[in-house]
Amino acid sequence: MLIVPEREIANLITAADCFTAVERVFASMANKAAYNFPVIREAIGHADALYGFKSGFDRESLALGLKAGGFWPNNVSKGLTNHQSTIFLFDADTGKCRAAVGGNLITALRTAAASAVSIKYLARQEAKVLGMIGAGHQSAFQLRAALQQRQFEKVVAWNFHPEMLSRLEQVANDEGLPFEVLDLERLGAESDVIISITSSFAPLLKASQVRPGTHVACMGTDTKGKQEVEPELVAMATVFTDEIAQAVTIGECQHAVERGITNKEAIIEIGAVISGKHPGRSSADEITLFDGTGIALQDLAVASVAVELALVKGVAIEIDF
Ligand code: NAD
């Protein structure tokens, strides 16, 4: 069995590798070759933690496995990121455990890759202003990946905790782009693409604040009860997702479906657009919304690449197991 420690991941895998792996596995889902198993996610009644498993199998790449871990909100005071996870890959022919891979950086990179894929396929080509809602750990990864997809000329941002926004200003500065903090009314009025990546449990962005033609990537809602945008925005947008079953249960769509103002038949998997089965955006005025719930197949696809690269670079630790 191979171990690829968390400390090696940053030197092994690039954001571009992650983008390619995530784009490919979304397409594999559309070909009905890859599927996720039901998610387990539980409040364990200790350390305010949410712990769970996400697992799946891709018959095209033979990536089989699971990500175990979750969200420990008090970790920052311990010098740790609050998302902690490990990815286990299994040999699809024998069931033997093939690798354990540090999952923390991979989670951030694969989540950023998902919204970047949605921007590639759904945002207007001429998108110039990128709006960020949220400034936590994931947000910088989101911003960096999104900036690769269009010729953005400005980054605008809002966060519930304004003191955290310097993290995004730094990324914008690194990319040579102007950065401005706005309220949500103005952020919606100026942005061509909006990414939300918060741990909010109440709607932040209102339907009336989003202008025609905007692409919105809702990336923070990955659990029952979380919510970043008004259900009315979901109802008025053309909605795409990584996986419909997750979108209606733990994703942003859960609220609009519960309210009966949208239904799962109206939601399109992004893999269908990647594989050419769905045309994606239909007009310059359409609001597109990507509900990025975070699926096991993203983790397995990126971890598989990390294992191959670790073998090539000689940094995979082999143990008898
Ligand atoms: P973080 O704790 O570092 O940051 C939390 C963010 O949410 C900050 O911007 C904070 O200001 C904001 N926030 C906190 N309380 C809020 C409130 N009451 N109202 C509005 N905003 C509030 O977390 P992170 O690692 O950046 O993750 C952000 C979110 O993304 C989490 O909900 C996490 O579970 C989710 N996530 C989703 C995926 C996916 O695949 N979809 C993957 C990883 C993380």
Side-chain angles (χ1 to χ4, degrees):
M1 175 182 165
L2 302 168
I3 295 177
V4 184
E6 184 68 44
R7 64 172 183 273
E8 298 292 350
I9 302 294
N11 299 322
L12 282 176
I13 193 151
T14 64
D17 294 329
C18 294
F19 185 95
T20 305
V22 168
E23 185 181 41
R24 191 175 294 150
V25 80
F26 284 161
S28 191
M29 287 172 69
N31 297 337
K32 306 286 177 220
Y35 49 98
N36 299 288
F37 307 135
V39 174
I40 305 285
R41 197 158 161 96
E42 298 286 332
I44 59 171
H46 178 78
D48 299 326
L50 283 173
Y51 170 72
F53 304 98
K54 285 186 170 178
S55 56
F57 179 46
D58 181 358
R59 281 199 312 272
E60 282 178 3
S61 69
L62 297 186
L64 171 68
L66 63 89
K67 179 166 83 170
F71 190 68
W72 272 258
N74 308 316
N75 268 6
V76 176
S77 61
K78 298 173 183 145
L80 297 168
T81 59
N82 42 24
H83 283 274
Q84 288 295 323
S85 59
T86 309
I87 300 160
F88 295 91
L89 297 174
F90 297 90
D91 185 317
D93 295 316
T94 63
K96 215 171 142 19
C97 188
R98 176 159 184 259
V101 183
N104 294 351
L105 181 57
I106 286 180
T107 297
L109 289 169
R110 66 69 145 153
T111 307
S115 61
V117 167
S118 84
I119 293 168
K120 172 178 171 181
Y121 286 95
L122 299 172
R124 284 177 293 113
Q125 286 302 327
E126 64 275 21
K128 295 281 180 257
V129 179
L130 176 58
M132 295 294 303
I133 300 175
H137 178 69
Q138 306 285 327
S139 66
F141 295 91
Q142 291 283 325
L143 177 53
R144 269 191 223 102
L147 290 176
Q148 301 306 311
Q149 298 308 317
R150 291 292 184 272
Q151 297 288 314
F152 287 109
E153 294 175 355
K154 185 178 178 185
V155 177
V156 298
W158 176 91
N159 192 43
F160 187 72
H161 303 101
E163 68 280 7
M164 295 167 81
L165 283 162
S166 56
R167 169 183 265 137
L168 296 178
E169 184 169 17
Q170 183 64 55
V171 177
N173 288 347
D174 291 349
E175 300 293 328
L177 292 176
F179 176 84
E180 195 177 358
V181 175
L182 299 178
D183 61 29
L184 285 172
E185 192 71 37
R186 281 195 54 206
L187 183 143
E190 290 197 16
S191 301
D192 300 304
V193 172
I194 299 173
I195 298 175
S196 60
I197 181 77
T198 73
S199 47
S200 176
F201 278 81
L204 303 168
L205 187 66
K206 295 188 173 73
S208 61
Q209 291 169 331
V210 177
R211 62 180 181 173
T214 306
H215 174 60
V216 185
C218 297
M219 303 305 297
T221 297
D222 58 357
T223 302
K224 200 164 171 46
K226 279 191 191 169
Q227 186 172 20
E228 297 191 295
V229 304
E230 271 188 348
E232 288 79 0
L233 175 57
V234 175
M236 74 193 240
T238 305
V239 179
F240 300 82
T241 187
D242 42 21
E243 196 200 70
I244 293 168
Q246 283 196 193
V248 300
T249 50
I250 59 172
E252 197 60 45
C253 289
Q254 63 181 288
H255 307 286
V257 169
E258 255 166 40
R259 286 258 306 272
I261 56 175
T262 194
N263 56 55
K264 71 185 220 187
E265 286 69 33
I267 305 170
I268 303 138
E269 285 189 355
I270 188 82
V273 184
I274 298 167
S275 62
K277 294 184 171 76
H278 187 281
R281 167 176 292 279
S282 65
S283 78
D285 284 345
E286 187 177 30
I287 294 174
T288 53
L289 185 147
F290 177 66
D291 185 356
T293 65
I295 54 173
L297 288 166
Q298 288 167 255
D299 298 301
L300 305 183
V302 175
S304 299
V305 176
V307 170
E308 295 318 314
L309 292 170
L311 284 169
V312 170
K313 292 196 173 172
V315 296
I317 301 163
E318 193 158 2
I319 58 162
D320 216 6
F321 181 70

